Amino acid sequence: MKAVIYARYSSDNQREESIEGQIRECREYAEHNGITILTSYIDRALSARTADRPEFQRMIKDSAKELFDIVLVWKLDRFSRDRYDSAHYKRILKKNGVKVVSAKENISDGPEGIILESMLEGYAEYYSAELSEKIHRGQRENALKGKNNGGGIPLGYVLGKEQKLEIDTITAPTVLEIFTRYADGETMRTIIEDLNSRGLKTKRNKPFSLSSFSAMLANRKYIGEYRYQDIIIPDGVPAIVPEELFYRVQERREKNKKAPARSKTENEFLLTTKLFCGKCERMMVGESGTSHTGQTYYYYKCGNAKRKKGCNKKAIKKDWLERIVVKLTIDKVLQDREIDRIADALIILQDKEDLTIPALKQQLTATEKNIENMLNAIQQGILTKSTKERLEELENQKEHLEISILQAELQKPRYTKELIVKWINQFKYGDVNSREYQKRIIDTFINAIYLFDDKMVLTYNFKGGTDTITLSDIEAVMGSDLNGGTPPNIKN
């Protein structure tokens, strides 16, 4: 029998040691019962009251490959604490020829085993609900005392000795700078790009993004307000941002919400991080401008030219450039001959990157050949203590290699040329004017674009995928984006 281990711990006072203990006892159970362990699936700090666990879902999906017979858990509550989820996913596993086995709970396969398993799952669900109630009660008590109840600590704060938020003197000035700049009219993207270029990070030590930035601007902790469900303490947290500044920011955010189409467009500069200035090689970023008639335009502009740092590269219209890039990519990449070439290259790359499985299969073939030779020798009457020991050694080696191949295939599936061609072909028939189609083409095939005054150099995500085309050739077919001259002054 071949098995995989599923281990999990939730966030209530458990640590990595919990995982190690579960896996150790599962392996001991497997060894005593002649079960071979292929791999382990581990979810950390995730509750079993929900099935939305990445490794759990990957395990369920992998069961369809018919590579293992058992999901081994320390106890059934590691699998699920919701009886309906448990029944649903066990049904899927059963359909795939896999059953769930508990290392610590002796459950038979007969009718009484079904009853016992149901009782254990019901108790696990009851325990989970009771634990949740106790935790909720404790968190309310903490909230009434102004103590932090877990979750992310906002940028600008640290957790003090009494479990209360205190101002972080290092990062709090950055928070105040962000609020001030946004209230004074700078766009989110401009501020984010500047913060990231200075090497500043969020509380999670990641670059700033639109989502993290928006959440920060809306966080009322920065004016000293502590909230937990229906509990609100006005001065429960030390304030970083003055109330007047905070409400100016909220007023501007509300104003921008009332222009959904404009806001949406601002978030969809599809070439961001892929488009570079051909003159100074600085990344080109999106910006918007308003003409004297009140109409808003969107452009890509060199970061150095934007900040007047010596580059005179002109801005270029956003929609025109994105559509041109997509059209050029379709003409260059999505042709049958090119798709076939890319598929061949990907197969070669896959073979080069995956040296483990071919090597194991080669060893398995050689081992099977040696076993066949030994059996032929035995049939001819050559049977000694050495030949018997050698045959046992080869049989063990064969079993070990077969298990290693299964483990490797679980970790890294192999794609055929037919599958790769089929996947690339799905991009051939989209609408070039569709924003979603444009995004998929750019994200999948474009590596980098260098934009000069007279030409464009496109580098695609495959070997030899570089194309240079003059803007005059593009304009002759598609029209120019430069008739309007330089963009108007930025309004938002």
Side-chain angles (χ1 to χ4, degrees):
M1 300 288 284
K2 296 179 179 62
V4 297
I5 295 173
Y6 177 71
R8 176 198 64 79
Y9 72 81
S10 56
S11 56
D12 45 293
N13 300 323
Q14 292 177 306
R15 300 186 304 278
E16 186 67 26
E17 290 87 338
S18 170
I19 293 291
E20 293 175 0
Q22 292 175 48
I23 291 178
R24 183 180 63 254
E25 296 199 33
C26 284
R27 288 192 178 278
E28 288 173 359
Y29 176 90
E31 186 176 349
H32 291 155
N33 291 275
I35 298 171
T36 301
I37 301 298
L38 296 180
T39 189
S40 298
Y41 298 84
I42 300 171
D43 282 312
R44 294 172 170 81
L46 291 172
S47 170
R49 297 186 72 184
T50 173
D52 189 18
R53 291 169 265 153
E55 286 296 284
F56 180 83
Q57 291 296 337
R58 189 167 74 88
M59 175 190 71
I60 298 295
K61 184 178 179 181
D62 285 349
S63 71
K65 299 176 182 178
E66 300 182 356
L67 298 175
F68 53 88
D69 315 293
I70 292 172
V71 171
L72 188 57
V73 295
W74 178 61
K75 287 186 176 181
L76 289 175
D77 65 357
R78 299 300 92 188
F79 185 81
S80 177
R81 281 184 174 171
D82 183 296
R83 72 186 73 183
Y84 301 106
D85 277 348
S86 178
H88 172 69
Y89 287 104
K90 282 182 179 177
R91 191 179 302 115
I92 294 174
L93 290 173
K94 185 177 180 181
K95 181 181 176 182
N96 294 333
V98 179
K99 68 176 181 177
V100 179
V101 174
S102 169
K104 299 300 289 182
E105 297 153 331
N106 187 19
I107 302 172
S108 69
D109 290 330
E112 68 278 4
I114 297 173
I115 295 172
L116 175 59
E117 187 171 343
S118 178
M119 288 174 60
L120 289 169
E121 288 174 351
Y123 178 76
E125 186 175 353
Y126 164 77
Y127 168 77
S128 179
E130 185 182 39
L131 180 62
S132 175
E133 185 178 335
K134 288 178 180 178
I135 291 172
H136 179 66
R137 191 185 309 125
Q139 287 177 333
R140 283 188 64 84
E141 290 299 318
N142 280 345
L144 290 169
K145 296 174 184 177
K147 293 184 177 181
N148 187 59
N149 263 327
I153 298 172
L155 185 70
Y157 291 104
V158 292
L159 193 61
K161 294 180 180 178
E162 297 183 2
Q163 210 176 335
K164 293 184 177 181
L165 294 181
E166 298 176 357
I167 291 179
D168 180 4
T169 56
I170 297 175
T171 58
T174 302
V175 174
L176 187 58
E177 175 192 342
I178 288 169
F179 274 83
T180 303
R181 291 175 65 175
Y182 185 77
D184 289 344
E186 286 194 57
T187 64
M188 288 188 185
R189 286 187 176 278
T190 302
I191 302 171
I192 289 170
E193 185 185 342
D194 179 56
L195 295 173
N196 290 338
S197 69
R198 288 155 56 188
L200 299 177
K201 304 288 185 181
T202 65
K203 193 69 176 182
R204 295 183 178 182
N205 200 34
K206 293 182 178 180
F208 285 88
S209 65
L210 282 172
S211 58
S212 63
F213 199 84
S214 298
M216 179 185 298
L217 294 179
N219 195 336
R220 297 183 67 85
K221 280 189 174 75
Y222 289 125
I223 56 172
E225 186 175 285
Y226 180 98
R227 283 176 177 252
Y228 177 75
Q229 296 182 351
D230 58 338
I231 298 172
I232 301 175
I233 304 175
D235 297 315
V237 180
I240 294 176
V241 177
E243 285 194 16
E244 178 273 333
L245 175 58
F246 183 85
Y247 286 116
R248 275 203 292 133
V249 166
Q250 306 317 307
E251 184 180 349
R252 184 167 179 230
R253 290 179 69 242
E254 190 63 30
K255 179 182 176 182
N256 287 340
K257 283 181 183 178
K258 293 178 181 178
R262 179 173 176 175
S263 176
K264 183 178 179 181
T265 305
E266 184 184 38
N267 291 341
E268 293 183 348
F269 283 87
L270 304 182
L271 298 177
T272 299
T273 73
K274 295 176 182 283
L275 182 63
F276 298 87
C277 173
K279 291 187 174 183
C280 68
E281 298 188 355
R282 178 68 186 267
M283 188 182 295
M284 296 184 73
V285 297
E287 69 169 10
S288 61
T290 306
S291 69
H292 66 279
T293 62
Q295 185 174 355
T296 303
Y297 297 89
Y298 298 93
Y299 295 85
Y300 285 101
K301 190 167 186 177
C302 168
N304 281 335
K306 185 181 179 74
R307 289 171 179 75
K308 297 180 172 56
K309 292 186 176 180
C311 185
N312 62 356
K313 180 76 182 76
K314 291 181 180 179
I316 191 164
K317 285 182 182 176
K318 167 187 174 298
D319 290 341
W320 182 87
L321 181 61
E322 289 171 352
R323 190 171 184 277
I324 286 295
V325 167
V326 171
K327 185 68 171 60
L328 291 173
T329 303
I330 292 170
D331 293 343
K332 168 73 176 180
V333 179
L334 300 181
Q335 306 298 324
D336 290 343
R337 181 181 295 180
E338 190 66 16
I339 291 173
D340 190 69
R341 190 186 70 80
I342 294 171
D344 286 337
L346 289 175
I347 291 293
I348 293 170
L349 180 62
Q350 184 176 237
D351 291 339
K352 285 182 178 178
E353 287 188 341
D354 183 18
L355 300 176
T356 305
I357 294 176
L360 288 171
K361 287 184 175 180
Q362 187 175 6
Q363 292 176 45
L364 179 61
T365 301
T367 302
E368 289 173 337
K369 181 66 175 176
N370 288 335
I371 291 173
E372 184 182 348
N373 293 337
M374 293 296 298
L375 291 173
N376 289 335
I378 292 171
Q379 288 176 351
Q380 293 173 13
I382 306 173
L383 179 59
T384 65
K385 182 179 179 181
S386 297
T387 56
K388 183 179 179 182
E389 288 177 353
R390 178 57 179 160
L391 183 59
E392 288 179 355
E393 180 184 328
L394 288 170
E395 291 286 357
N396 289 334
Q397 184 177 337
K398 177 185 175 183
E399 183 181 0
H400 175 74
L401 286 168
E402 287 174 339
I403 291 170
S404 297
I405 290 169
L406 286 174
Q407 289 173 327
E409 288 176 343
L410 268 176
Q411 296 296 326
K412 189 172 183 181
R414 179 175 176 79
Y415 301 106
T416 64
K417 180 177 178 180
E418 181 183 11
L419 188 61
I420 293 171
V421 170
K422 182 178 179 181
W423 183 81
I424 298 176
N425 271 328
Q426 69 175 310
F427 295 94
K428 290 174 69 173
Y429 307 109
D431 178 6
V432 73
N433 296 311
S434 162
R435 299 296 293 162
E436 182 59 32
Y437 179 65
Q438 291 176 359
K439 186 176 189 302
R440 291 180 67 207
I441 291 291
I442 290 169
D443 288 348
T444 304
F445 298 107
I446 297 294
N447 181 277
I449 304 165
Y450 285 86
L451 189 63
F452 298 82
D453 286 340
D454 60 341
K455 65 182 179 181
M456 184 191 310
V457 179
L458 296 93
T459 303
Y460 300 103
N461 287 322
F462 53 87
K463 188 175 180 180
T466 300
D467 208 11
T468 301
I469 186 167
T470 65
L471 293 184
S472 59
D473 287 343
I474 296 172
E475 290 166 9
V477 179
M478 305 289 293
S480 174
D481 82 312
L482 303 175
N483 296 332
T486 57
N489 294 327
I490 296 173
K491 184 178 180 180
N492 185 28

PDB file of all heavy atoms in Angstrom, residues 188-200:
ATOM      1  N   MET A 188      -1.748  57.390  -6.368  1.00  0.00           N
ATOM      2  CA  MET A 188      -1.254  56.216  -5.646  1.00  0.00           C
ATOM      3  C   MET A 188      -0.047  55.612  -6.343  1.00  0.00           C
ATOM      4  O   MET A 188       0.952  55.259  -5.715  1.00  0.00           O
ATOM      5  CB  MET A 188      -2.366  55.163  -5.531  1.00  0.00           C
ATOM      6  CG  MET A 188      -3.475  55.505  -4.565  1.00  0.00           C
ATOM      7  SD  MET A 188      -4.568  54.063  -4.378  1.00  0.00           S
ATOM      8  CE  MET A 188      -5.854  54.783  -3.328  1.00  0.00           C
ATOM      9  N   ARG A 189      -0.156  55.476  -7.656  1.00  0.00           N
ATOM     10  CA  ARG A 189       0.922  54.833  -8.408  1.00  0.00           C
ATOM     11  C   ARG A 189       2.234  55.600  -8.291  1.00  0.00           C
ATOM     12  O   ARG A 189       3.309  55.009  -8.180  1.00  0.00           O
ATOM     13  CB  ARG A 189       0.529  54.686  -9.879  1.00  0.00           C
ATOM     14  CG  ARG A 189      -0.501  53.587 -10.113  1.00  0.00           C
ATOM     15  CD  ARG A 189      -0.734  53.345 -11.597  1.00  0.00           C
ATOM     16  NE  ARG A 189      -1.650  52.247 -11.804  1.00  0.00           N
ATOM     17  CZ  ARG A 189      -1.307  50.967 -11.787  1.00  0.00           C
ATOM     18  NH1 ARG A 189      -0.057  50.642 -11.573  1.00  0.00           N
ATOM     19  NH2 ARG A 189      -2.201  50.018 -11.988  1.00  0.00           N
ATOM     20  N   THR A 190       2.158  56.926  -8.325  1.00  0.00           N
ATOM     21  CA  THR A 190       3.371  57.736  -8.227  1.00  0.00           C
ATOM     22  C   THR A 190       4.029  57.543  -6.873  1.00  0.00           C
ATOM     23  O   THR A 190       5.254  57.363  -6.773  1.00  0.00           O
ATOM     24  CB  THR A 190       3.034  59.227  -8.428  1.00  0.00           C
ATOM     25  OG1 THR A 190       2.413  59.401  -9.695  1.00  0.00           O
ATOM     26  CG2 THR A 190       4.295  60.070  -8.370  1.00  0.00           C
ATOM     27  N   ILE A 191       3.227  57.560  -5.822  1.00  0.00           N
ATOM     28  CA  ILE A 191       3.773  57.384  -4.473  1.00  0.00           C
ATOM     29  C   ILE A 191       4.353  55.985  -4.314  1.00  0.00           C
ATOM     30  O   ILE A 191       5.455  55.809  -3.774  1.00  0.00           O
ATOM     31  CB  ILE A 191       2.680  57.643  -3.411  1.00  0.00           C
ATOM     32  CG1 ILE A 191       2.108  59.059  -3.554  1.00  0.00           C
ATOM     33  CG2 ILE A 191       3.249  57.463  -2.004  1.00  0.00           C
ATOM     34  CD1 ILE A 191       0.884  59.322  -2.707  1.00  0.00           C
ATOM     35  N   ILE A 192       3.615  54.983  -4.785  1.00  0.00           N
ATOM     36  CA  ILE A 192       4.072  53.596  -4.658  1.00  0.00           C
ATOM     37  C   ILE A 192       5.397  53.391  -5.374  1.00  0.00           C
ATOM     38  O   ILE A 192       6.332  52.777  -4.835  1.00  0.00           O
ATOM     39  CB  ILE A 192       3.004  52.635  -5.223  1.00  0.00           C
ATOM     40  CG1 ILE A 192       1.791  52.598  -4.291  1.00  0.00           C
ATOM     41  CG2 ILE A 192       3.564  51.229  -5.412  1.00  0.00           C
ATOM     42  CD1 ILE A 192       0.589  51.882  -4.880  1.00  0.00           C
ATOM     43  N   GLU A 193       5.504  53.903  -6.592  1.00  0.00           N
ATOM     44  CA  GLU A 193       6.751  53.741  -7.354  1.00  0.00           C
ATOM     45  C   GLU A 193       7.923  54.392  -6.637  1.00  0.00           C
ATOM     46  O   GLU A 193       9.023  53.835  -6.570  1.00  0.00           O
ATOM     47  CB  GLU A 193       6.594  54.346  -8.754  1.00  0.00           C
ATOM     48  CG  GLU A 193       7.810  54.087  -9.627  1.00  0.00           C
ATOM     49  CD  GLU A 193       7.717  54.783 -10.970  1.00  0.00           C
ATOM     50  OE1 GLU A 193       6.608  55.179 -11.361  1.00  0.00           O
ATOM     51  OE2 GLU A 193       8.768  54.942 -11.617  1.00  0.00           O
ATOM     52  N   ASP A 194       7.671  55.579  -6.060  1.00  0.00           N
ATOM     53  CA  ASP A 194       8.742  56.280  -5.341  1.00  0.00           C
ATOM     54  C   ASP A 194       9.166  55.489  -4.101  1.00  0.00           C
ATOM     55  O   ASP A 194      10.366  55.321  -3.838  1.00  0.00           O
ATOM     56  CB  ASP A 194       8.262  57.673  -4.945  1.00  0.00           C
ATOM     57  CG  ASP A 194       9.335  58.450  -4.177  1.00  0.00           C
ATOM     58  OD1 ASP A 194      10.447  58.597  -4.723  1.00  0.00           O
ATOM     59  OD2 ASP A 194       9.075  58.865  -3.033  1.00  0.00           O
ATOM     60  N   LEU A 195       8.203  54.991  -3.326  1.00  0.00           N
ATOM     61  CA  LEU A 195       8.522  54.226  -2.120  1.00  0.00           C
ATOM     62  C   LEU A 195       9.315  52.970  -2.468  1.00  0.00           C
ATOM     63  O   LEU A 195      10.311  52.648  -1.808  1.00  0.00           O
ATOM     64  CB  LEU A 195       7.243  53.844  -1.384  1.00  0.00           C
ATOM     65  CG  LEU A 195       6.397  54.988  -0.806  1.00  0.00           C
ATOM     66  CD1 LEU A 195       5.081  54.447  -0.253  1.00  0.00           C
ATOM     67  CD2 LEU A 195       7.144  55.729   0.289  1.00  0.00           C
ATOM     68  N   ASN A 196       8.889  52.268  -3.519  1.00  0.00           N
ATOM     69  CA  ASN A 196       9.582  51.040  -3.922  1.00  0.00           C
ATOM     70  C   ASN A 196      10.983  51.325  -4.455  1.00  0.00           C
ATOM     71  O   ASN A 196      11.906  50.543  -4.225  1.00  0.00           O
ATOM     72  CB  ASN A 196       8.762  50.280  -4.966  1.00  0.00           C
ATOM     73  CG  ASN A 196       7.495  49.676  -4.384  1.00  0.00           C
ATOM     74  OD1 ASN A 196       7.399  49.462  -3.176  1.00  0.00           O
ATOM     75  ND2 ASN A 196       6.513  49.388  -5.228  1.00  0.00           N
ATOM     76  N   SER A 197      11.152  52.455  -5.170  1.00  0.00           N
ATOM     77  CA  SER A 197      12.482  52.817  -5.691  1.00  0.00           C
ATOM     78  C   SER A 197      13.447  53.158  -4.564  1.00  0.00           C
ATOM     79  O   SER A 197      14.654  53.006  -4.713  1.00  0.00           O
ATOM     80  CB  SER A 197      12.363  53.994  -6.668  1.00  0.00           C
ATOM     81  OG  SER A 197      12.000  55.177  -5.976  1.00  0.00           O
ATOM     82  N   ARG A 198      12.906  53.595  -3.431  1.00  0.00           N
ATOM     83  CA  ARG A 198      13.739  53.905  -2.254  1.00  0.00           C
ATOM     84  C   ARG A 198      14.001  52.678  -1.392  1.00  0.00           C
ATOM     85  O   ARG A 198      14.690  52.753  -0.380  1.00  0.00           O
ATOM     86  CB  ARG A 198      13.049  54.991  -1.411  1.00  0.00           C
ATOM     87  CG  ARG A 198      13.083  56.365  -2.057  1.00  0.00           C
ATOM     88  CD  ARG A 198      11.950  57.256  -1.579  1.00  0.00           C
ATOM     89  NE  ARG A 198      11.905  57.419  -0.142  1.00  0.00           N
ATOM     90  CZ  ARG A 198      10.916  58.037   0.521  1.00  0.00           C
ATOM     91  NH1 ARG A 198       9.890  58.534  -0.177  1.00  0.00           N
ATOM     92  NH2 ARG A 198      10.931  58.133   1.822  1.00  0.00           N
ATOM     93  N   GLY A 199      13.452  51.533  -1.807  1.00  0.00           N
ATOM     94  CA  GLY A 199      13.685  50.296  -1.076  1.00  0.00           C
ATOM     95  C   GLY A 199      12.842  50.142   0.172  1.00  0.00           C
ATOM     96  O   GLY A 199      13.112  49.261   1.005  1.00  0.00           O
ATOM     97  N   LEU A 200      11.807  50.963   0.318  1.00  0.00           N
ATOM     98  CA  LEU A 200      10.940  50.858   1.491  1.00  0.00           C
ATOM     99  C   LEU A 200       9.994  49.673   1.319  1.00  0.00           C
ATOM    100  O   LEU A 200       9.615  49.323   0.208  1.00  0.00           O
ATOM    101  CB  LEU A 200      10.151  52.147   1.690  1.00  0.00           C
ATOM    102  CG  LEU A 200      11.003  53.405   1.936  1.00  0.00           C
ATOM    103  CD1 LEU A 200      10.123  54.644   2.058  1.00  0.00           C
ATOM    104  CD2 LEU A 200      11.857  53.251   3.194  1.00  0.00           C
TER     105      LEU A 200
END
